[in-house]
Amino acid sequence: MKLRAPEGCASICHEGQIFVIEADGSIEVKKSIAAVLVAHGFLPWDEDETETKQLATTTNVDVEKFNRPRLFAFLRANGVRVRLPITNEELRAAARKVTLAELPNE
């Protein structure tokens, strides 16, 4: 399965096997490995680019309902870089900051 690696990721090691990220940011792995990598910010390669762009729109966003990959995608789409390891709660806190920054001053 082809995945898109998080920005800045050059390689990974899974069960003792090293996988190098291609120059275009892709990686080919078995589906069983892909399930593990998604939890670390890897996304399906064929992900709809319009969905990623829509994630950057923060109005009416409920980050509490986002799963881990969606949190990574939302933050990346809004220009926020995170450093692993990071918990889901830390990701949500960062996403909340993004949504609060987008609220108009009253």
Side-chain angles (χ1 to χ4, degrees):
M1 176 172 206
K2 190 172 183 179
L3 298 175
R4 184 180 314 276
E7 187 175 328
C9 183
S11 65
I12 60 154
C13 182
H14 181 73
E15 295 182 349
Q17 185 176 0
I18 296 174
F19 297 89
V20 177
I21 308 301
E22 299 295 330
D24 64 356
S26 69
I27 184 171
E28 282 280 343
V29 295
K30 295 178 183 175
K31 284 188 179 183
S32 61
I33 297 172
V36 174
L37 296 180
V38 166
H40 295 285
F42 287 76
L43 298 171
W45 182 260
D46 58 357
E47 177 185 77
D48 185 5
E49 293 296 326
T50 58
E51 179 183 340
T52 301
K53 288 177 184 173
Q54 288 171 350
L55 288 174
T57 306
T58 57
T59 54
N60 298 323
V61 170
D62 186 2
V63 296
E64 305 307 319
K65 294 181 181 178
F66 286 1
N67 61 16
R68 188 174 179 88
R70 181 132 179 164
L71 285 165
F72 276 108
F74 175 80
L75 291 170
R76 184 177 60 222
N78 283 285
V80 178
R81 298 182 82 175
V82 296
R83 185 177 299 253
L84 297 175
I86 189 167
T87 65
N88 287 353
E89 202 45 51
E90 291 169 323
L91 287 170
R92 280 195 182 82
R96 280 187 218 107
K97 286 182 184 178
V98 169
T99 59
L100 291 175
E102 293 292 323
L103 292 176
N105 293 334
E106 295 180 16

